[in-house]
Amino acid sequence: MIREKLSATAEAEQAFWFPGRWLGGVSMMLAPILLLTGVLLRIQFYFFFPQQLAAFKENPVLLVTAYNFFVAGNILLWPAIITLAQLVGNKKRQLALWGGTFVIFGLFARTFHGGADHLAFQLVRVQGLELATKAIASSYGAFNIVATLNGAILLGWIILAVGAYLSGTLGLFRSVSLGLMAALMLGVLKGSSWVSVIATAGLCIALVPLGIKVLQSGPIPNLKAVIGWLLIVLTVVVVFYFLGQAG
């Protein structure tokens, strides 16, 4: 009896993986949609920074909403990438290791750029469009260590897409769709183009169905558990929001 219990415990420990089926699956379904929404909301404006700053002056709510959707999707994407790397790594470990690592490093770079975007928009609000544009133009090529990660995300998506196909995690079409993310523009105050739409739409095609499959790969919790977790998540989000606003 004791031996059977120890065996069951060992199997349970081996079955655990981070971030887990639910966080990974929900991330796969939600993050690509948030990214695509952010891209579409700002598609009407030319993608380079002077036009983005001018667009913010004329449409501040729209631009802030678009950039926040994009940043939220980018941050929420990390569990999806770890989950995808976990699936790819069952058969193609090296491709999963390098592809997943490079993409996640690239997500850090995009988040850093999101902070710079926020500051640039505040310069428009506080100092005016002309001074803000001059400040961004004068500092656009300034060195920062995060810029060294720009190439990582471009290469990472391709490696991960190849691994997804060779491992059988995704078919050819959805693997190519995943690899299209390598074409998504990277940098401070980069708006949207139709290439951006194609890239983020490809991410939706690649990950959303896989997220559904991941969620369906195990037992479904009862309604009471779902409601309980939703209340916990909403409470944590509200608390974190007010903590963030407090500075």
Side-chain angles (χ1 to χ4, degrees), residues 74 102-103 106-107 110 149-158 182 186:
N74 180 73
F102 282 179
V103 170
L107 296 181
R110 288 195 187 278
L149 300 177
N150 289 353
I153 195 168
L154 303 178
L155 186 60
W157 286 115
I158 296 174
L186 186 68

Side-chain angles (χ1 to χ4, degrees), residues 217-232:
S217 64
I220 300 177
N222 58 48
L223 182 60
K224 182 178 179 180
V226 172
I227 294 175
W229 277 109
L230 285 176
L231 290 175
I232 291 173

Side-chain angles (χ1 to χ4, degrees), residues 28 84 87 169-170 174 206-215:
M28 284 182 167
L84 178 58
L87 296 173
T169 305
L170 298 175
R174 287 171 60 201
L207 292 190
V208 172
L210 184 60
I212 296 173
K213 184 178 179 180
V214 168
L215 291 179

Side-chain angles (χ1 to χ4, degrees), residues 76-89:
L76 188 58
L77 196 57
W78 70 264
I81 300 306
I82 295 178
T83 302
L84 178 58
Q86 172 81 13
L87 296 173
V88 172

Side-chain angles (χ1 to χ4, degrees), residues 143-226:
F143 171 80
N144 67 80
I145 192 65
V146 179
T148 60
L149 300 177
N150 289 353
I153 195 168
L154 303 178
L155 186 60
W157 286 115
I158 296 174
I159 296 173
L160 202 54
V162 172
Y165 175 69
L166 294 179
S167 66
T169 305
L170 298 175
L172 179 59
F173 176 70
R174 287 171 60 201
S175 296
V176 172
S177 298
L178 180 68
L180 291 175
M181 277 294 288
L184 185 62
M185 288 184 292
L186 186 68
V188 176
L189 285 176
K190 286 296 190 298
S192 299
S193 67
W194 287 109
V195 173
S196 307
V197 175
I198 293 171
T200 49
L203 187 66
C204 292
I205 292 170
L207 292 190
V208 172
L210 184 60
I212 296 173
K213 184 178 179 180
V214 168
L215 291 179
Q216 293 176 338
S217 64
I220 300 177
N222 58 48
L223 182 60
K224 182 178 179 180
V226 172

